[in-house]
Amino acid sequence: MNGLSKGFGKVEIALRWDPSPSGEPSTDLDLVAAPYPAGDPHGHPAYVVHFDSRSPDGTIILNRDSKDGQGFGYDEVMTLELHRLDERYARVVVGVVIQQHRTRRTFSDVGNPGLRIREGYTVLAEDDFGGVPGATAATVAEFVREGSGPWEFRPGVQGFDGDPVDFSRAMGTARRA
């Protein structure tokens, strides 16, 4: 980024997948986001936004939540209004979790999964989770800033194997280069 860059303002993360075959339990993927304070950007998140929740200040909102992947296009959509996020936050990590209902599922068990991250009409990243087939969850994006400076985007899908509660605790650890 150069000195004239405004950084990222309002970012949309969208997730899609195909419904489970007839007779099989439904597949439920969830978007999760967590902001981290400037004083401890790899420690505990200030809060976690997931299904049935939003950030206290309304800057991170789950606009659409699907429990089965049925529908056209993207089934789950989250909006991050980074330009409105308080200066006390220096990092926001976004992840995807596969709910483990009756059957253990990994990304290789999910039909046609897809991820798109964009700002306005500009696509910042797309992925199909092919790099993490054995994972049950993954971090998919990281937004960071220094002080009140512009937000920078660090793409990359990193897999995690465990339950959703463990993932929400571990998703903020330092990313592998």
Side-chain angles (χ1 to χ4, degrees):
M1 295 201 134
N2 63 38
L4 299 176
S5 176
K6 294 182 192 177
F8 293 94
K10 188 173 183 180
V11 177
E12 176 190 88
I13 295 97
L15 183 62
R16 66 168 166 72
W17 67 98
D18 289 343
S20 298
S22 181
E24 290 189 26
S26 64
T27 302
D28 183 5
L29 276 64
D30 287 310
L31 285 167
V32 180
Y36 294 82
D40 192 11
H42 297 283
H44 296 291
Y47 53 85
V48 177
V49 176
H50 51 77
F51 54 92
D52 295 333
S53 72
R54 60 179 252 168
S55 64
D57 60 2
T59 57
I60 303 174
I61 298 173
L62 186 61
N63 307 78
R64 189 178 316 146
D65 180 26
S66 174
K67 295 186 183 342
D68 55 16
Q70 292 185 12
F72 297 106
Y74 288 90
D75 304 300
E76 193 139 325
V77 178
M78 180 178 277
T79 302
L80 309 176
E81 293 188 49
L82 297 168
H83 62 288
R84 291 185 43 229
L85 200 59
D86 192 278
E87 288 183 20
R88 70 177 172 249
Y89 304 114
R91 185 170 176 248
V92 177
V93 177
V94 181
V96 174
V97 174
I98 303 170
Q99 292 295 330
Q100 304 297 319
H101 296 297
R102 294 181 232 157
T103 306
R104 182 179 188 282
R105 292 217 169 116
T106 64
F107 284 106
S108 64
D109 300 318
V110 176
N112 197 30
L115 169 77
R116 179 187 67 207
I117 302 171
R118 68 182 182 175
E119 182 179 43
Y121 294 106
T122 302
V123 175
L124 305 174
E126 291 183 307
D127 200 277
D128 64 2
F129 300 95
V132 292
T136 59
T139 56
V140 297
E142 177 179 39
F143 296 89
V144 296
R145 70 174 167 189
E146 293 289 327
S148 61
W151 286 97
E152 295 179 31
F153 172 54
R154 295 181 182 164
V157 175
Q158 292 190 4
F160 175 84
D161 189 25
D163 72 26
V165 174
D166 291 339
F167 175 68
S168 67
R169 285 189 216 122
M171 66 188 275
T173 59
R175 296 183 77 162
R176 296 182 300 269

